[in-house]
Amino acid sequence: MKKPVARVAQLHELLHDHSHRYYVLDNPSISDAEYDDMFRELQSLEAQFPDLQTPDSPTQRVGAPPLDGFDSVQHAIPMLSLGNAFSQDELNEFDRRVRERLEREGDEVIYVAEPKLDGLAISLRYEHGVFVQGATRGDGRSGENVTENLRTIEMIPLKLRTASPPAVFEARGEVFMSHDAFKSLNASMQASGKPAFVNPRNAAAGSLRQLDSRKTAQRRLSINLYGLGEVIGMDLPPTQMDALHLLAAYGFPVNNDIQRCDGIEACFDFYQTMGQRRPELGYDIDGVVFKVDSISEQRELGFVSRAPRWAIAQKFPAEEAQTLIESVEFQVGRTGALTPVARLQPVFVGGVTVSNATLHNMDEIERKDIRVGDTVIVRRAGDVIPEVARVVKYKRKHGARKIKLPQHCPVCGNPVQIREGEVKARCTGGLRCAAQVREAIKHFASRRAMDIDGLGDKLVEQLADAELINSVADLYTLDVEAVKAMPRMGEISANNLIKAIDTSRRTTLARFLFGLGIRDIGESGAALLASHFGSLEAVMAADESALTSIDDIGPIAADSVQTFFANADNRAVVDALLAAGVEFPTTETMQVGTLLSGNTYVLTGTLTVFTRDQAKQKLQLLGAKVSGSVSGKTTAVFAGDSPGSKVTKAESLGVPVLDEAALLELIGPVE
Ligand code: D41
């Protein structure tokens, strides 16, 4: 057996190496399970010998406590900005100036061509090979200290891959979000009723700005490095291409499409090729960057007003077009959010005809000073909804009208409200707003809520179109005849649906509360309310202090609960549901909050008798807390098959680890 010190060092080496192979080279050589085993071994050694836990340990990516704000960081060497070229002429002009200054009018300059990633510029600082600080570019002189957030990006090495690191090494690059990561992030934002990000760049910026690095860790950010900042204790590479190779050798991800181009013609070819390949890259680029390859030539050229004379960005033509705003309407979404949408004179932008464009919210309208009748620039970026980029002010006519937020919902007439600290206006109509009701019914019927088998989104739309359902309560008035009249509905499916609706009457208070679709109350919030209050009446009667006395229910969620039940329409729907026979078994309310209150459990691994969700619900019903992470406060960990690192953590903290049989004994089988 190796000494712990030696084994920890060896595990660092192995884990760094394998995570580099996996995330940077995209070429793993061991299985995830083997990786996890080593990771757990390291965690348990670190738990045994806390002195051996260092900031560059692979276990230290996530877990730093949330911050109150970001400190400002002075860049040792300013992060320069980039000049732009918008045409081939401007690019040729750049090349001419470079050759003139270098007194090389006769020959071609060697450039390096790089895709221009559409993200956020950042700097990563390593001291003696260890990652010590990460910062945003900010204004170029100083940015924000986002070290803990950057640390969670697996592509970033916590340690340089070299035996003899320089005293200081600063790498610079761009943090961005792939289209895949962006789509799945927005899907989950929308699923939990939060506004989606407008584009991957905003999503990347928002993710890097999280005060709680654990949130950043869930965001799947990417990074590419393209330059050096302060370097002390080693010779600088002689060319940009060498610098990129050095970055790659040190373990950093470097963009695959970077190319050396001899002369400006080759640069222009690169620009055109990248323009064509742009849709299939899987991430946004907004142009290409050309840099003089030779560092000594870069020095000779120097910079003017913070932009180097030796580099230029050639931007892709924006997919923009001019048109007229004919009117503005407010669309009502699932949570009642009102989104102003401009109806446009149809215009061709980036390959499609656009006749609607989002104005996002009232703040954006104000900021851009958009009015009805204005001539505007419409922008389309990738597969994002078209937006109004700006107003062509000199074309503004006398009659241009300011856009006013309606006081009442355009669909249901209930008052519109903007909550303090929020930008989105919302319809307060809740379950009685026709626009919200369809989404509400879909949510009510969904698997994790009332679990009505066979009632999919499409059928909800059809039933609502036929005006058979105007609220969730109407579901319980449906009969076979009515359902059978829907397109492609047979006798059997109709019968099955009615049966499924009938079955859903017997539910749990947690599912019912979740199914109501109260803002800010997700599945676990609903379970907490149910187990804490035990009855619907008690939840409806709860005041702010009663609600916020529950761990994990903050003032915003508490306000949402009160606002929901204060609405007479919502209360009428709840009454109608109860009158239709929706009920919660008494066993639930009797046991709640007593048997296991004060205990906190962690579930890990695959369970066989029930799913982890079922076990979690049951534990919560019995008054226990169920947490995602093991700490000294954990009562016990229940581990199913192939459990993760939580078991090691529990063992190192002396928290009991029990099996599924013990869990079954504690909470009984699922009914
Ligand atoms: O991909 C990029 N967004 C990118 C940005 C790049 N590939 N190279 C860059 N090079 C520079 C200089 C030449 C000044 C070192 C840049 C940027 N700057 C840059 N990004 C944001 C501001 C400047």
Side-chain angles (χ1 to χ4, degrees), residues 439-671:
E439 297 306 316
I441 296 172
K442 292 174 195 167
H443 172 74
F444 185 79
S446 67
R447 200 171 53 76
R448 288 164 167 276
M450 301 296 276
D451 193 18
I452 305 179
D453 232 17
L455 187 55
D457 289 2
K458 219 173 180 167
L459 189 53
V460 170
E461 294 287 348
Q462 290 167 348
L463 292 165
D465 283 344
E467 296 193 24
L468 289 170
I469 46 175
N470 298 309
S471 89
V472 292
D474 289 346
L475 287 172
Y476 296 97
T477 65
L478 287 174
D479 57 29
V480 175
E481 290 310 307
V483 174
K484 228 170 59 184
M486 294 298 107
R488 284 179 303 283
M489 252 297 159
E491 178 92 33
I492 297 180
S493 326
N495 262 313
N496 285 344
L497 178 65
I498 296 301
K499 256 189 232 145
I501 292 176
D502 186 39
T503 309
S504 76
R505 283 192 169 93
R506 274 162 303 282
T507 184
T508 63
L509 179 56
R511 279 177 176 276
F512 181 77
L513 287 170
F514 177 56
L516 290 177
I518 304 167
R519 266 194 78 204
D520 307 311
I521 298 298
E523 208 180 355
S524 62
L528 288 171
L529 289 173
S531 67
H532 184 86
F533 292 106
S535 74
L536 179 62
E537 295 70 32
V539 176
M540 290 175 70
D543 62 12
E544 156 144 19
S545 73
L547 289 164
T548 53
S549 74
I550 307 176
D551 271 356
D552 293 337
I553 300 279
I556 293 178
D559 182 52
S560 294
V561 172
Q562 289 187 292
T563 307
F564 184 90
F565 289 116
N567 180 302
D569 289 329
N570 290 339
R571 279 206 312 271
V573 170
V574 169
D575 287 344
L577 285 169
L578 298 177
V582 174
E583 58 178 11
F584 332 108
T586 48
T587 51
E588 177 192 345
T589 49
M590 277 177 9
Q591 291 179 346
V592 159
T594 54
L595 204 53
L596 299 178
S597 59
N599 293 351
T600 303
Y601 298 99
V602 172
L603 298 166
T604 184
T606 316
L607 303 176
T608 50
V609 178
F610 12 57
T611 66
R612 246 191 279 169
D613 271 338
Q614 287 171 327
K616 178 175 173 184
Q617 263 185 16
K618 196 85 199 268
L619 284 165
Q620 286 173 336
L621 284 178
L622 297 172
K625 274 189 73 171
V626 178
S627 164
S629 58
V630 182
S631 75
K633 291 193 189 127
T634 309
T635 313
V637 172
F638 289 108
D641 280 346
S642 34
S645 53
K646 287 168 190 168
V647 167
T648 331
K649 177 96 183 275
E651 282 164 351
S652 70
L653 291 170
V655 170
V657 178
L658 307 171
D659 61 8
E660 190 173 0
L663 177 62
L664 190 64
E665 198 165 315
L666 183 69
I667 65 179
V670 213
E671 297 90 72

Side-chain angles (χ1 to χ4, degrees), residues 80-82 114-117 121 137 174 226 289 291 308 310-311:
L80 301 174
S81 59
L82 273 173
E114 308 177 1
K116 186 169 184 297
L117 302 164
R137 174 174 181 274
E174 199 90 354
Y226 53 68
V289 186
K291 302 174 183 176
W310 45 267

